[in-house]
Amino acid sequence: MSDATHTTFSRVISDRHFLTGSLIPATILALVAACFCLVSVLSVGGIARLLSDQTAGTLTTELGERFPQPQLKQVVEAIPALSRPGFALTFLFGAIVVATILRALLHAGTERQINRRVATNVNRLREHIHRQALRSNPGDLTGAQRRTAANLFQMTAQKLEDSAARWGLLKITTTCDLLVLAAVLLLIQWRVGLECLIPMVACWYIARVESERNSASANLLSEQVDRGLQRLTEDLDKARIVAGYGMESVEHDYFAQNLKQYQSRCDGLQRQKRRGRWTSLLIRIAMVMLPAFIIARHIVFGNLIGLPAASMLVAALGIMMMSLNRSIDAPRLRGTATVAADEINQYLLRVPPVSQVVGARFLEPMSRLLQFNQVSVETETNPDLLCSLDLKIEFGKRVSLIALNPREAEALVTLIPRFADPSAGQVLFDGQDIRRATLESLRAEAVIVGGDEPVFHTTVLDNVTAGRTDISRQDAIEACKTVHAENFIRRLSKGYETHLGESATTLDVGQRFRLSLARAVARKPALLIIQEPETVLDNETKTMLDDTYQRICTGRTVIFLPSRLSTVKKCDRIVMLHQGRVVADGRHEDLVRTSDLYRHWEYIRFNVFRGGANGAT
């Protein structure tokens, strides 16, 4: 485990946390719960003496002689009810029951304290994951980074929380129980206690090591069995070639050989499991029998302990065995939590793909030319998504950016606000490399509107302003009017103060798209990138969007990633990408005549017969 991973796990919970901060109450509760073991042990000793002597007076005398310590003698003599055997027996059994219940309640309180501390620390890690995702995911074209962040945020963080909380509970409760019980053993009779404690702990340690070894061996054999079964399954796919070449006999012999090998590995796995079970059983038997033999030998042949003291030793050792057996799961839980912490740590250590350079300057609004100079973009699945692409877009133009592979167009526009950086080449605003500009000024002048962007879980007004204090309420309202969002906002229950999102007012795709357009228009960017929704819109929404585009395209450069043919036809230029380069550039009526690729793109996107007979229908 690396130091960074250990630090990540220690942020959630560690041994030192039990003596500091918010886990001190949990430690105190665990210690008090362990002390109730002393009550149970003393009660067992009292019951044994009561049953053997049948007299309360002898019980008081013998306990006092066996425990000459003034404190214990005073406790025993201070219970007058012990003078009546029947009542004393009931009282001692009741003490065991009450001690067990109180111990369970205290452990529940310990668990709540630990769960609260672990959950708080894991949620802090979730904050770091969220912050890292916001820095790293804007340029995620394949969705892989988003899926990774979501998996870490949900499943991995929850696994860390569950495993760390259970580990912490086992660690503190078993540690306190073992300390108190060891003290009880030494208090009853230190020599006999040590004689019993040493072999029991040794057997527990051997059982733990043997369990881990058997588990590792069983996992290895299980993987070999799975691989063998997979190989046998793959042989079923050879039916055509085997029948075609008359290889049935050869293939059957080969299959029988593999099947025999598979059966041998299955037998080995079963033998390993049986061997592990028998080994564990024998060690556990030894763990019980060795202390029992030592105690019995002292009762029969020695004079160090009597039956009451022996009963208390057995009770203390029994509770200690249960604590030791529970603690066997602690390494596994810590390992699971450590693996989860390592996954989170590796994600948090990733360097964001885009960062602001030292000495970055404020970027003036684009007024002349947007230029892509020998730009290349690589992804994990496509190393040549964009390849040495050159493109110039004059200010004030309305441009449609299309491609047979939509990710090519998406990759190009994500370079403009620097959601991602090209692996090679430059993006220039009026001749200035955007990597030398501050991210804030760049993204204020180059805004992307997604086709189906989610809303923020806040009011309509806050969705438009997005927390910007320099955008007044009147500016937001004017932006909504410009994009024809005013008509549906006024129909909401509270107008601009209506809360959107989960468990509140929901909007359809067209309404969300217009709200996203209003959010962008309110910033008055010089360059606007609009990705139209793929969902089919109603005719009213289409008409409003056509008018909206006419309004917002004046005085700025607008790049469309279109989903409607009407949008394509109304653009000044259509730039088509294919295999990472510009392959067509012109107006719709020109490209229809001169570009086979453009006609193919138009056909697969908009032609009513593109789906064959069913599509035509």
Side-chain angles (χ1 to χ4, degrees), residues 122-123 125-140 142-159 340 343-350 353 380:
V122 170
N123 284 336
L125 288 178
R126 284 192 171 105
E127 289 181 3
H128 293 305
I129 294 172
H130 181 261
R131 189 176 296 111
Q132 178 76 340
L134 293 181
R135 290 198 297 258
S136 304
N137 290 3
D140 181 20
T142 63
Q145 295 180 25
R146 185 194 64 80
R147 289 190 295 271
T148 298
N151 182 67
L152 289 172
F153 192 86
Q154 297 176 18
M155 299 179 63
T156 306
Q158 191 61 47
K159 184 188 298 183
E343 292 181 21
I344 294 174
N345 178 66
Q346 293 301 322
Y347 179 76
L348 296 180
L349 290 178
R350 292 182 185 177
E380 296 178 357

Side-chain angles (χ1 to χ4, degrees), residues 156-168:
T156 306
Q158 191 61 47
K159 184 188 298 183
L160 173 60
E161 182 176 341
D162 294 341
S163 300
R166 291 174 59 194
W167 175 84

Side-chain angles (χ1 to χ4, degrees), residues 96-333:
I96 294 175
V97 172
V98 171
T100 303
I101 294 174
L102 291 177
R103 177 176 161 82
L105 292 175
L106 290 169
H107 277 177
T110 303
E111 184 177 8
R112 283 195 298 272
Q113 294 285 336
I114 292 174
N115 287 347
R116 187 181 299 116
R117 172 62 182 262
V118 170
T120 299
N121 291 337
V122 170
N123 284 336
R124 289 175 184 168
L125 288 178
R126 284 192 171 105
E127 289 181 3
H128 293 305
I129 294 172
H130 181 261
R131 189 176 296 111
Q132 178 76 340
L134 293 181
R135 290 198 297 258
S136 304
N137 290 3
D140 181 20
L141 298 174
T142 63
Q145 295 180 25
R146 185 194 64 80
R147 289 190 295 271
T148 298
N151 182 67
L152 289 172
F153 192 86
Q154 297 176 18
M155 299 179 63
T156 306
Q158 191 61 47
K159 184 188 298 183
L160 173 60
E161 182 176 341
D162 294 341
S163 300
R166 291 174 59 194
W167 175 84
L169 181 63
L170 277 179
K171 187 76 173 178
I172 187 61
T173 55
T174 55
T175 300
C176 292
D177 286 349
L178 293 175
L179 288 175
V180 170
L181 290 168
V184 170
L185 288 175
L186 299 179
L187 184 64
I188 295 172
Q189 221 301 321
W190 68 270
R191 179 178 170 182
V192 180
L194 282 179
E195 288 180 6
C196 296
L197 191 61
I198 291 173
M200 188 181 70
V201 172
C203 289
W204 168 81
Y205 181 77
I206 294 172
R208 175 178 166 179
V209 172
E210 189 66 19
S211 176
E212 293 175 355
R213 188 185 69 82
N214 285 331
S215 178
S217 299
N219 289 338
L220 180 60
L221 288 172
S222 181
E223 290 177 2
Q224 293 177 353
V225 168
D226 291 341
R227 287 198 298 269
L229 187 60
Q230 181 65 29
R231 186 160 52 247
L232 291 172
T233 305
E234 291 172 354
D235 290 341
L236 301 178
D237 298 331
K238 300 177 182 178
R240 177 176 295 181
I241 188 172
V242 169
Y245 289 93
M247 298 176 61
E248 289 88 348
S249 178
V250 175
E251 179 63 20
H252 182 73
D253 292 341
Y254 178 74
F255 181 82
Q257 180 181 354
N258 285 340
L259 187 61
K260 184 177 180 181
Q261 186 178 15
Y262 168 76
Q263 184 61 47
S264 175
R265 288 174 176 172
C266 288
D267 294 340
L269 177 60
Q270 295 301 321
R271 285 195 300 270
Q272 179 66 33
K273 290 181 177 179
R274 287 195 299 269
R275 188 183 302 115
R277 286 196 297 267
W278 277 105
T279 302
S280 177
L281 178 61
L282 291 174
I283 294 174
R284 292 179 186 277
I285 291 174
M287 188 176 178
V288 174
M289 296 304 296
L290 287 176
F293 173 76
I294 293 171
I295 293 174
R297 183 174 61 84
H298 278 287
I299 292 175
V300 176
F301 301 106
N303 57 0
L304 290 177
I305 58 173
L307 185 59
S311 300
M312 288 188 284
L313 285 173
V314 170
L317 289 171
I319 299 174
M320 183 174 285
M321 286 181 188
M322 289 188 291
S323 296
L324 288 173
N325 289 333
R326 286 201 311 271
S327 67
I328 289 179
D329 286 338
R332 178 184 60 82
L333 293 172

Side-chain angles (χ1 to χ4, degrees), residues 12-53:
V12 178
I13 192 170
S14 65
D15 295 329
R16 58 183 176 82
H17 286 160
F18 295 119
L19 299 177
T20 59
S22 60
L23 283 185
I24 289 182
T27 305
I28 295 173
L29 290 175
L31 281 173
V32 175
C35 290
F36 278 103
C37 294
L38 176 60
V39 176
S40 299
V41 169
L42 289 175
S43 299
V44 170
I47 292 172
R49 174 59 70 185
L50 191 62
L51 294 177
S52 62
D53 290 351

Side-chain angles (χ1 to χ4, degrees), residues 443-461:
R443 291 172 182 174
E445 297 301 331
V447 177
I448 293 182
V449 178
D452 192 9
E453 290 181 333
V455 297
F456 297 111
H457 293 181
T458 182
T459 64
V460 173
L461 182 62

